[in-house]
Amino acid sequence: MGVERVQEIANFSKETIPGEFIRTTYEQPALTTVQGTVLEVPVIDLSDPDEEKVVRAIVDASSNWGMFQVVNHGIPHETVRKLKEVGKAFFELPPHEKEAYAKSPGSQSLEGYGTKLQREVEGKKAWVDHLFHKIWPPSEINYQFWPKNPPSYRKNNEEYAKHMHGVVDKLFRCLSLGLGLEGNEMKEAMGGDNMVYLLKINYYPRCPRPDLALGVPAHTDMSAITILVPNDVQGLQACKDDHWYDVEYIPNALIVHIGDQVEIVSNGKYKSVLHRAKVNKEKTRISWPVFVEPPPDLEVGPHPKLVNEANPPKFESKKYSQYCFCKLNKTPK
């Protein structure tokens, strides 16, 4: 295929890494991470019968952090375990089997197995390979990007998608109520039942110089919200008050990121979180984010009920596909 995968580079990188993976000094984790302090992002119990309390907690987290973790979320632990099991197994296949799912050169779609995602400033590369495919709605699914091996890959991913709806609906209802809108209005502004769930598996191989490299550079998510589960290797970092901190996972929680589209619809009340991923010298790190997105042709802008003379729109309305193209290609918005 002519594309060098990070997993292959990692196999022969014993003490050093190629220069294109060495981040600039203002990005290197060893130089830019606040040492000895772990960011304890809010943990919210989605099963709490006091809805007002849950709404307040989500509003506070979404306004001040752009990130939180949810527990008692209703997705069975076994469903999550099986999702992780088959995702890890895919990346352990021989290279030629993985390449069967490679995205086509020049493809406008994110779907498929790949390494490069966006135009990187200064030609730097991220220490990660990935697999993208949509898991909802059925009309948007392209099974050519779903691995056939391991054989239970499809079943386990469909099961996870089925359980994801309850979490998504609960989160959007709380985000909506927190803005003084009706419970369904935030979800409707994102496309309602036509919202797309795009799954990504990030595979960060062991890296001999985790002090110099990044798995994913600093970014905010383009999505409405992102719901993520990791393996047991820590590595997520968030930017708070212009400083980078490690984020500690709570076992069996889901990590929720506020994405750009929720920030836009809320007219800036909710903040999309600036985050990045570190890599590890001893262990492979894997994460499974699901990007909950508007349909590509939906125009997204500040909700009309949140805009008036005293609070003018802070963002222009734009088709989601156009927004993504501009962001991935670093072109003016």
Side-chain angles (χ1 to χ4, degrees):
M1 293 295 291
V3 178
E4 210 170 7
R5 302 302 182 195
V6 175
Q7 203 171 352
E8 298 305 305
I9 294 169
N11 285 340
F12 59 76
S13 298
K14 299 305 175 198
E15 294 177 8
T16 60
I17 56 175
E20 62 266 29
F21 291 98
I22 299 174
R23 310 308 298 198
T24 56
T25 52
Y26 61 85
E27 289 183 292
Q28 289 176 18
L31 299 177
T32 55
T33 302
V34 176
Q35 301 298 331
T37 305
V38 172
L39 207 58
E40 295 185 3
V41 302
V43 178
I44 299 169
D45 183 350
L46 280 192
S47 69
D48 192 320
D50 184 347
E51 186 176 63
E52 279 186 31
K53 181 180 165 190
V54 177
V55 169
R56 280 196 306 273
I58 288 177
V59 168
D60 180 64
S62 303
S63 308
N64 297 314
W65 298 77
M67 174 189 282
F68 51 95
Q69 300 188 61
V70 293
V71 294
N72 298 322
H73 42 71
I75 302 181
H77 299 330
E78 186 66 4
T79 300
V80 176
R81 187 192 66 75
K82 287 180 176 177
L83 174 84
K84 294 179 182 180
E85 182 179 73
V86 293
K88 179 172 181 280
F90 169 74
F91 278 93
E92 290 170 351
L93 292 174
H96 71 274
E97 286 197 52
K98 294 192 290 269
E99 292 297 344
Y101 302 95
K103 60 184 77 174
S104 310
S107 168
Q108 292 300 307
S109 169
L110 292 177
E111 289 191 277
Y113 171 61
T115 295
K116 185 171 185 263
L117 178 58
Q118 60 184 19
R119 191 157 77 85
E120 275 269 22
V121 180
E122 300 175 23
K124 296 298 179 186
K125 292 183 178 177
W127 193 264
V128 65
D129 295 324
H130 60 248
L131 176 69
F132 274 105
H133 60 75
K134 294 171 185 170
I135 58 171
W136 190 263
S139 59
E140 288 289 321
I141 291 175
N142 188 342
Y143 286 112
Q144 81 177 75
F145 297 117
W146 288 48
K148 293 182 175 58
N149 196 10
S152 55
Y153 187 93
R154 176 169 171 173
K155 176 171 172 282
N156 291 3
N157 276 262
E158 287 177 339
E159 184 72 10
Y160 187 65
K162 184 179 82 178
H163 285 287
M164 184 65 67
H165 300 311
V167 180
V168 169
D169 287 349
K170 177 89 173 176
L171 292 173
F172 275 111
R173 175 175 169 80
C174 292
L175 289 166
S176 200
L177 293 172
L179 294 169
L181 300 172
E182 297 294 326
N184 64 332
E185 287 187 284
M186 175 67 90
K187 182 180 173 182
E188 290 306 313
M190 297 297 179
D193 290 334
N194 294 317
M195 284 192 300
V196 175
Y197 298 4
L198 176 66
L199 174 79
K200 181 187 185 191
I201 306 177
N202 289 307
Y203 188 91
Y204 309 98
R206 286 178 296 187
C207 178
R209 294 302 304 270
D211 54 325
L212 301 179
L214 283 173
V216 178
H219 67 288
T220 58
D221 291 345
M222 299 182 291
S223 58
I225 57 174
T226 303
I227 299 171
L228 179 146
V229 292
N231 71 347
D232 58 355
V233 181
Q234 304 282 345
L236 180 64
Q237 293 194 316
C239 190
K240 178 91 166 126
D241 303 324
D242 296 324
H243 291 91
W244 286 101
Y245 296 90
D246 293 321
V247 175
E248 181 117 33
Y249 307 133
I250 305 296
N252 302 317
L254 305 174
I255 299 166
V256 180
H257 298 167
I258 297 298
D260 295 345
Q261 306 313 303
V262 160
E263 179 168 346
I264 290 166
V265 169
S266 73
N267 204 29
K269 176 166 182 181
Y270 300 141
K271 304 287 190 283
S272 62
V273 62
L274 186 64
H275 59 287
R276 67 185 187 184
K278 291 194 308 181
V279 289
N280 191 286
K281 191 170 185 174
E282 313 296 337
K283 297 177 180 176
T284 293
R285 181 169 176 266
I286 315 176
S287 67
W288 288 258
V290 172
F291 302 100
V292 181
E293 306 180 322
D297 289 334
L298 186 74
E299 195 163 284
V300 180
H303 198 285
K305 290 187 179 179
L306 303 176
V307 173
N308 53 41
E309 280 184 28
N311 191 26
K314 297 185 172 95
F315 307 92
E316 62 172 297
S317 298
K318 188 169 287 189
K319 277 189 179 178
Y320 182 61
S321 56
Q322 184 189 2
Y323 182 92
C324 293
F325 179 85
C326 291
K327 185 155 181 174
L328 286 173
N329 292 284
K330 305 281 196 292
T331 61
K333 296 216 172 63

